Amino acid sequence: MASAILNGGSSLKSSSQACGFNETDSLPGVFVVTGAILAHDSLTYGEGHIPQVVPTVEELNPPRTGPKNLPTLVDLLDDENDDKKKPRLVIVGAGWGAMGVLKTLNPGDYEVVVVADSTFNQFTPLLPSAAVGTVGARSLIESVRKLLLPLRGSFVFGKALDVVMNERLLEVEVPATPEGDKKRIYVPYDKLIIAVGSVSATHGVTGLENCFQLKTIEDAQKIRRRIIDNVEIASLPTATPEERKRLLSFVICGGGPTGVEVAAEISDLVHEDLVRYFPKLCAQELSITIIQSRDHILNTYSESISQYAEKRFEREKVNVITNARVKEVTPKSVKYTVKDPETGKTVEHEIPTEFTLWSTGIAMNPFTQRVTDLLPNQVHKKAIVVDAHMRVVGAPLGTVYCIGDASTIETSLMPYLLDLIEKADINHDEKIDRNEWDVLVKEVKRRVPMASTHLEKVNDIFKCYDTDADDALSFNELTKALEGVSKKITTLPATAQVASQQGKYLGKKFTLLAKQAKTLHANGIPDDDDEAYCGPFQYKHLGSLAYIGNAAVFDLPGYSFTGGLAAMYAWRSVYWSEQVSFRTRALLMVDWIIRGLFGRDLSRL
């Protein structure tokens, strides 16, 4: 035996020499790698110097001010205490809108303070992937403090509750210490940006406490645990047939991008990983169902994309129920209704399940609701109404802004009616002739860019509302014309793309304001007059995309694109490039490689 081993070793040695390899050939590479590691460690793990900075009295014991006499954070402990007093920009939230602002602000122009109830930013488009273990939760988050570092900004860990606009104070509830209760503080601001996002709409459905949602990374982790638990319990011989059917039934309420992507990710998990360990359960018992209230899933995309997604789900045996309304969700079932096409009567159905995801529409965040309650002009039921400059309607000009899902841009032209007449009525005859109509249309496009696409055929609109054919629009005729245009303007969708663009717009605007502040003051122009130094927000739709199970769909301006692996890699590339840091890009790439080589981790943590 020993001689065989020795002979084998000699033969291996002779083989390596025959191939041109020698033990000494690899020595330089080993030395280079070892030297690089040692150099990295010497730079990374050295003893850090902690500067001896003495906190001020106001930092340790904030003064009490405001209507509720709360501690007021005039100075913050994590502030670098610059001698130069800068305007304080407070951002509520740490989502897409807030990140858009931080990316485009010029360092040093403002004292930036982010207030959020989460210490990290999360990449929400890939939450469905995290919910089944395709990517790790840590790969989708980045510390807010780290993102604030280039701006030397500060972070307040807490939840915004109220705002005192006349004193420019934001009321924040901060977490309790282990021994005490939650406390409230005031955070003063010069400019306030509300970017708190939204919550899921209930639509009057009862039993939503029995549903999962997918808004945060914590939601994704809960979903992942439940999926693993259901499959493991269903595989036990103690589970009855009825229990097994419920445990292996996954129901998604809502056929929008989030619902479709969750269904696709669960389907991938079943066909690529679970089937290896639970082949009988996956083949006979497991089911995935999407309940959609419209005619098609992905109804905001082109019809061809909706049909492609439905056909692919049909091949993957994902059940899609359309034109259905969820009535009630219980711990063990989902009840929904559909209209019988023959009789026209409403028929109720029930799906046994112990996993229900609710992903249908948005509603106001509690802080958003509080802001609308404070302002009489706020009548929208789902968001804060802002003008084209992202200023909150009814709030003091130039102080309070709102972006993302928490906001909706005002589409009515009626608030501008009198100003438009004053601007366009050149001859002051209280009528708008054709030449003045052209001036008025230009002014409308400047103030409300969203109306531009509905004002292309200006002569036809003029002729349509010139009912007395006197080649001029009276006050009543002009009012009806602007009302007609207003009804055609649609609100922007509540997407990450919109929030990001709005955030970048405000970041660039405030950077421009900082550069031109002295010039504005020298000319007697107040810095709260946004129109004096910056144009309104203009949204540019770059397209929509969705993952549908080892395939992806792209709904781009002018054309649509669907496909298999090639489209999926394009989908991954887009999201990879949108990451907020190089760290998350690296982790995301590693996660995709690990999933491809070893599959998803089915451990429950």
Side-chain angles (χ1 to χ4, degrees):
M1 184 69 177
S3 61
I5 295 174
L6 290 173
N7 291 335
S10 61
S11 62
L12 285 172
K13 183 176 180 180
S14 60
S15 300
S16 63
Q17 291 175 347
C19 294
F21 292 105
N22 192 290
E23 291 88 343
T24 58
D25 292 342
S26 60
L27 289 178
V30 172
F31 284 127
V32 170
V33 173
T34 304
I37 294 174
L38 291 175
H40 173 269
D41 288 349
S42 65
L43 295 173
T44 307
Y45 298 104
E47 294 182 2
H49 172 66
I50 300 177
Q52 299 298 316
V53 180
V54 181
T56 64
V57 176
E58 286 190 337
E59 290 174 344
L60 295 175
N61 298 292
R64 289 181 174 270
T65 63
K68 296 183 180 179
N69 195 32
L70 298 176
T72 305
L73 301 189
V74 179
D75 295 312
L76 289 93
L77 282 170
D78 59 349
D79 190 9
E80 294 190 8
N81 294 320
D82 290 343
D83 294 333
K84 182 180 177 182
K85 185 63 178 177
K86 296 173 290 189
R88 176 177 284 186
L89 173 62
V90 176
I91 305 171
V92 186
W96 283 87
M99 294 305 106
V101 177
L102 298 181
K103 285 181 180 178
T104 49
L105 278 176
N106 185 47
D109 287 345
Y110 294 89
E111 179 192 354
V112 181
V113 180
V114 172
V115 178
D117 57 2
S118 175
T119 60
F120 52 82
N121 165 262
Q122 54 194 357
F123 192 78
T124 51
L126 288 179
L127 287 180
S129 296
V132 299
T134 304
V135 299
R138 286 283 175 184
S139 303
L140 304 184
I141 64 174
E142 187 61 91
S143 167
V144 175
R145 290 190 179 275
K146 185 176 180 180
L147 296 170
L148 277 169
L149 198 58
L151 296 172
R152 291 178 292 174
S154 301
F155 176 68
V156 176
F157 182 32
K159 181 167 62 176
L161 297 180
D162 202 351
V163 58
V164 186
M165 295 185 185
N166 60 336
E167 298 185 37
R168 298 192 183 187
L169 295 173
L170 176 71
E171 184 179 340
V172 179
E173 183 182 74
V174 296
T177 59
E179 300 82 17
D181 298 327
K182 292 182 179 180
K183 297 180 180 180
R184 297 186 180 187
I185 60 174
Y186 281 135
V187 179
Y189 65 85
D190 293 300
K191 291 187 179 295
L192 174 68
I193 300 176
I194 300 171
V196 293
S198 61
V199 297
S200 297
T202 63
H203 300 292
V205 177
T206 59
L208 294 188
E209 65 275 6
N210 302 309
C211 296
F212 288 96
Q213 296 185 12
L214 192 55
K215 288 281 189 180
T216 66
I217 200 71
E218 291 88 352
D219 293 337
Q221 291 174 317
K222 290 177 182 177
I223 290 172
R224 184 177 179 183
R225 294 189 194 103
R226 174 58 69 87
I227 292 174
I228 299 301
D229 285 350
N230 282 12
V231 175
E232 291 289 356
I233 295 172
S235 67
L236 298 174
T238 53
T240 65
E242 292 78 13
E243 289 173 338
R244 188 172 292 112
K245 183 177 181 179
R246 289 198 309 268
L247 289 166
L248 297 178
S249 173
F250 300 93
V251 178
I252 294 96
C253 301
T258 301
V260 166
E261 290 186 344
V262 170
E265 290 284 1
I266 294 178
S267 178
D268 288 349
L269 174 67
V270 171
H271 291 97
E272 296 171 4
D273 297 280
L274 292 180
V275 71
R276 298 190 212 170
Y277 309 101
F278 311 97
K280 294 180 181 179
L281 292 179
C282 294
Q284 300 177 7
E285 303 285 349
L286 198 143
S287 66
I288 304 169
T289 304
I290 298 176
I291 302 176
Q292 167 69 327
S293 61
R294 305 292 182 90
D295 296 336
H296 298 281
I297 59 174
L298 298 177
N299 60 289
T300 58
Y301 292 57
S302 67
E303 186 176 352
S304 61
I305 283 181
S306 297
Q307 292 174 350
Y308 177 84
E310 289 170 357
K311 289 179 181 178
R312 189 167 186 93
F313 278 154
E314 185 178 357
R315 292 197 301 269
E316 298 291 335
K317 296 183 180 180
V318 175
N319 186 26
V320 177
I321 303 172
T322 57
N323 295 313
R325 298 279 182 179
V326 176
K327 181 181 179 181
E328 182 184 3
V329 180
T330 70
K332 296 183 178 181
S333 69
V334 173
K335 298 177 182 178
Y336 68 95
T337 60
V338 293
K339 280 190 177 182
D340 190 315
E342 296 180 358
T343 63
K345 294 182 179 180
T346 300
V347 181
E348 183 175 315
H349 300 271
E350 185 173 6
I351 302 176
T353 180
E354 291 196 14
F355 177 94
T356 305
L357 175 72
W358 185 260
S359 178
T360 60
I362 63 170
M364 279 190 182
N365 178 288
F367 178 63
T368 307
Q369 182 67 61
R370 175 56 184 163
V371 173
T372 59
D373 292 341
L374 292 172
L375 301 171
N377 295 334
Q378 295 287 336
V379 295
H380 201 277
K381 295 182 180 180
K382 294 184 178 181
I384 296 174
V385 180
V386 298
D387 64 11
H389 289 265
M390 308 313 299
R391 298 173 296 193
V392 174
V393 174
L397 279 180
T399 59
V400 185
Y401 300 79
C402 188
I403 56 178
D405 294 1
S407 70
T408 181
I409 298 178
E410 190 174 44
T411 57
S412 175
L413 303 178
M414 302 317 295
Y416 307 101
L417 177 60
L418 297 180
D419 288 341
L420 291 171
I421 293 175
E422 184 179 354
K423 181 82 173 179
D425 189 12
I426 300 173
N427 57 12
H428 304 290
D429 63 350
E430 297 183 355
K431 287 188 176 183
I432 302 297
D433 59 30
R434 286 187 178 272
N435 292 330
E436 293 171 338
W437 172 248
D438 291 337
V439 175
L440 187 142
V441 168
K442 289 181 181 178
E443 184 65 14
V444 170
K445 290 181 178 180
R446 186 184 72 82
R447 294 194 178 200
V448 187
M450 292 170 60
S452 298
T453 55
H454 306 288
L455 289 170
E456 294 177 351
K457 299 179 180 180
V458 292
N459 292 329
D460 293 344
I461 297 173
F462 186 93
K463 186 177 180 180
C464 177
Y465 288 96
D466 184 17
T467 54
D468 55 7
D470 63 347
D471 211 31
L473 296 178
S474 65
F475 180 83
N476 290 335
E477 290 171 340
L478 179 61
T479 300
K480 291 180 180 179
L482 295 182
E483 285 178 344
V485 174
S486 298
K487 291 178 181 179
K488 295 178 181 179
I489 303 174
T490 56
T491 58
L492 296 177
T495 62
Q497 184 180 165
V498 172
S500 180
Q501 288 190 29
Q502 290 174 342
K504 290 176 182 178
Y505 163 77
L506 284 186
K508 292 176 181 177
K509 173 193 279 191
F510 293 153
T511 297
L512 186 62
L513 173 60
K515 291 180 180 179
Q516 298 184 1
K518 293 183 178 179
T519 304
L520 292 173
H521 292 160
N523 290 279
I525 302 174
D527 58 6
D528 58 7
D529 185 3
D530 295 47
E531 297 178 11
Y533 64 90
C534 185
F537 169 71
Q538 297 188 44
Y539 173 64
K540 183 180 179 181
H541 184 60
L542 303 177
S544 303
L545 56 160
Y547 176 77
I548 54 173
N550 288 327
V553 294
F554 291 76
D555 192 8
L556 305 176
Y559 67 99
S560 302
F561 172 69
T562 60
L565 287 177
M568 184 194 73
Y569 284 120
W571 172 82
R572 284 184 176 181
S573 299
V574 171
Y575 283 157
W576 185 83
S577 65
E578 289 293 322
Q579 295 298 307
V580 295
S581 68
F582 179 78
R583 170 190 161 277
T584 54
R585 288 193 186 98
L587 289 175
L588 197 58
M589 183 64 72
V590 170
D591 283 346
W592 283 330
I593 293 173
I594 289 175
R595 191 216 65 81
L597 293 176
F598 307 108
R600 297 171 181 82
D601 182 12
L602 301 183
S603 305
R604 185 197 187 282
L605 297 177

